[in-house]
Amino acid sequence: MKTASYFCSVKLYHNIRLLYTPVGFSAKRGKEMADIETVPNAAILTTEDGRIQAVGSFSEERPTSPPIPSEKRIEIEEIDCRGLVALPGFVDSHTHAVFYGERSEEFAMRAEGRSYQEIAGMGGGIRSSVEAVGQATKEEIAEYSRPFTRRALALGTTLMEIKSGYGLSLEAERKLLEAADIVSRETPMQIVKTFLGAHAVPRGRTQREYVESIVSEQLPSLYAMAEFCDVFMDEGYFSEDETVRICKRAKELGMKIKLHADELAETHGAETAVTLGAFSADHLLNVSDAGIRALSESEHTVATLLPITALSLRAAYAPARKLIDAGCAVALATDCNPGSSMSENMQFAVSLGVIAMQMSPAEALTAATLNGAAALDRARTHGTIEGGKMADFVLYDIPRLEYMPYHIAVSDIVAVVRGGSVVSGAL
Ligand code: NIG
Ligand code: FE
C-alpha cells in the first residue's frame, strides 16, 4: 500500500483483474437480467463518504494533465487488489436473522418424512421460536444473532434485511426490532428492518383477535421502528383479506410493503402483493400463471426467490425461468431463519439459482445484488459497482464470474469492502 496525491478521493482499489457488475439504478427485468458489464484491469475510486467516485481501467483513472492545483490535492490510499475479481456485495433482501435458539430437531424430523406444516401442528415451527424469544432479553437475542451477520458479511453480504416476527405481541415484537438495532449498530453491514407481526397467530389468541391487535396496537406503536411491513399470507397463516387489512394500515402509517406469498400453497399472494404496491413478493414456490403475469406487469414488485428454503423443505423450487421469461424482476435471498432455512450464505442461494432453477450465472448475480437492492427500495444507492453508489464490493480469488456459483458452498472471498473500507478479510 502506498499513498499518492489525487483529486478529491480517499482510496483507489486497483489491479482488479476482472470486475463484473449489473449497471443501473432500478431492478432489471426479464432478459435484461443477463446484462452484466465486464471491466478488465479495473480500478475503483472511492469518495470520503464511502461511495464510488468512478470505475474504469486503472490507467484511465490516473490524472494526466492539467495538473490539479495543490490546494485541492488530498492524500489517497492506493490498494493493490493483486489480480483478484470484484463483484458487488450481495444484498440479502429476505432474512429472519433475529431469533433465539435453534430447531435442528425439526430438521431431523423432516429427514424422517414429516412436513413443515405437520411439525408446526405438533407445537414446533414459528411458535416454538416465539416461546424462546419470550424468555430472552433483547441483549441476549442480539448476542445470539450477531454471529449470523458476522458470517454473512464474511460470505459477501453487505446489505441485509432483517424481519421481526418471532415475538407476536407488542412487547416481544418491539424487543426483536430493538435487538436488530443492536446488531445493526455493531456490524459494518447495512441493515434494513421489516416488521412481521403477522408471521403466525400466537398460542392462546384467536385469528380475529390477533389481526385486530396488529392493526390497532402493534402497527401504531412500532411503525417508526421498521421501514417495511411484511405478512405471511399463506394457507394456515393469514388470508388475503387479513393481509390487505394489515398492509393498508401499514401504508397509512408510511410503511412500505413486502409479502410472504404463495410459499406453502397458491393463495393469490403474488397478485395481492402487486395490488398493494409491494416492493417484493417472496417465496412463490406455488405461484400461479396469473400471479406471474401480475408480477411481470407490476410497477415495482420484485419476485424474490429463496431456494435454500425449498431445498431445506424438500419442496419444488420456484419457477425462476418462467418468471424471468415472462419479464419479471427476480431477486435471490437466503430467508435465513431457524426453521426453514438455516443459512446466511448468499453464494449458496446463487448456486441453487443456477443449478436448481436454471438461471444463468449472470442472471443470478443480478438477482443477488441489484434486484435484491430494488426489493429493499435501495436500487439507487446499492447493488452495483458504479459511480454514485455505495462502495460495497467483494474481492474473490476466482478465474471468472461463473466460478463463484460453480464452487458450491465454498467461499473464495479474500476481502469484503463496505462503504469504501475493507471490513472482512484482508488485502
Ligand atoms: O420464510 N414462511 C414463513 N416464515 C419463515 C419460516 C419461519 C420459521 O419456520 O421459523 C420462512 O420460511
Ligand atoms: Fe421468510
Side-chain angles (χ1 to χ4, degrees), residues 170 195-197 211-225 228-231 245-251 253 255 257:
L170 172 59
F195 166 73
L196 178 59
V211 171
E212 185 53 42
S213 80
I214 293 172
V215 169
S216 59
E217 192 192 20
Q218 294 190 31
L219 277 171
S221 304
L222 302 178
Y223 73 93
M225 294 181 73
F228 290 89
C229 175
D230 193 346
V231 175
R245 179 153 179 243
I246 292 165
C247 292
K248 284 207 164 142
R249 183 75 189 112
K251 283 173 77 169
L253 292 163
M255 300 180 89
I257 305 299

Side-chain angles (χ1 to χ4, degrees), residues 31-240:
K31 281 191 180 41
E32 289 179 348
M33 284 181 62
D35 296 342
I36 293 287
E37 198 169 284
T38 307
V39 185
N41 188 25
I44 303 168
L45 190 60
T46 66
T47 64
E48 273 170 323
D49 62 353
R51 287 174 192 272
I52 296 169
Q53 171 102 352
V55 181
S57 284
F58 182 55
S59 52
E60 288 169 18
E61 294 304 328
R62 297 204 145 229
T64 45
S65 61
I68 295 157
S70 59
E71 70 274 13
K72 287 204 177 158
R73 288 172 186 230
I74 60 164
E75 289 294 301
I76 74 143
E77 197 179 339
E78 287 193 9
I79 300 170
D80 185 352
C81 298
R82 305 190 324 258
L84 297 169
V85 167
L87 306 180
F90 289 128
V91 179
D92 193 349
S93 62
H94 182 139
T95 88
H96 304 251
V98 279
F99 54 90
Y100 194 70
E102 52 89 16
R103 287 164 32 204
S104 54
E105 226 172 285
E106 295 179 15
F107 174 75
M109 284 164 82
R110 287 205 301 277
E112 288 165 6
R114 295 196 190 271
S115 72
Y116 179 81
Q117 290 96 315
E118 236 181 298
I119 294 166
M122 291 163 67
I126 294 166
R127 290 191 186 116
S128 79
S129 287
V130 170
E131 263 163 40
V133 161
Q135 320 265 310
T137 64
K138 65 181 175 197
E139 290 80 12
E140 285 168 335
I141 296 166
E143 193 168 331
Y144 195 87
S145 305
R146 192 178 297 126
F148 288 85
T149 49
R150 196 184 58 232
R151 284 185 296 259
L153 184 73
L155 290 164
T157 298
T158 47
L159 173 62
M160 183 193 261
E161 185 245 22
I162 296 184
K163 302 176 199 293
S164 67
Y166 292 119
L168 308 189
S169 70
L170 172 59
E171 285 321 314
E173 286 296 309
R174 189 199 309 279
K175 181 163 70 178
L176 284 165
L177 291 168
E178 285 173 352
D181 284 335
I182 298 174
V183 170
S184 176
R185 279 196 294 274
E186 292 169 350
T187 175
M189 188 191 282
Q190 285 184 306
I191 304 288
V192 174
K193 285 181 296 163
T194 296
F195 166 73
L196 178 59
H199 198 190
V201 175
R203 267 189 250 281
R205 301 199 73 169
T206 66
Q207 185 90 18
R208 185 190 256 272
E209 217 176 68
Y210 187 61
V211 171
E212 185 53 42
S213 80
I214 293 172
V215 169
S216 59
E217 192 192 20
Q218 294 190 31
L219 277 171
S221 304
L222 302 178
Y223 73 93
M225 294 181 73
E227 184 172 337
F228 290 89
C229 175
D230 193 346
V231 175
F232 188 9
M233 175 177 163
D234 219 311
E235 205 169 81
Y237 290 85
F238 294 90
S239 70
E240 181 173 342

Side-chain angles (χ1 to χ4, degrees), residues 12 39 56 130 140 265 268 300 308-309 319 335 395 397 419:
L12 181 70
V39 185
V130 170
E140 285 168 335
H268 211 240
H300 62 226
I308 307 176
T309 308
D335 195 20
L395 294 153
D397 185 9

Side-chain angles (χ1 to χ4, degrees), residues 87 347-348 350-352 354-355 360-362 364 398 400-409:
L87 306 180
Q347 182 198 330
F348 187 49
V350 170
S351 289
L352 287 178
V354 176
I355 298 163
S360 71
I398 54 174
R400 57 207 292 265
L401 166 64
E402 290 76 1
Y403 195 95
M404 182 265 284
Y406 163 71
H407 200 180
I408 302 167

Side-chain angles (χ1 to χ4, degrees), residues 378-390:
R378 293 289 191 285
R380 296 205 63 74
T381 47
H382 293 77
T384 68
I385 308 176
E386 65 189 302
K389 293 236 181 162
M390 289 306 304

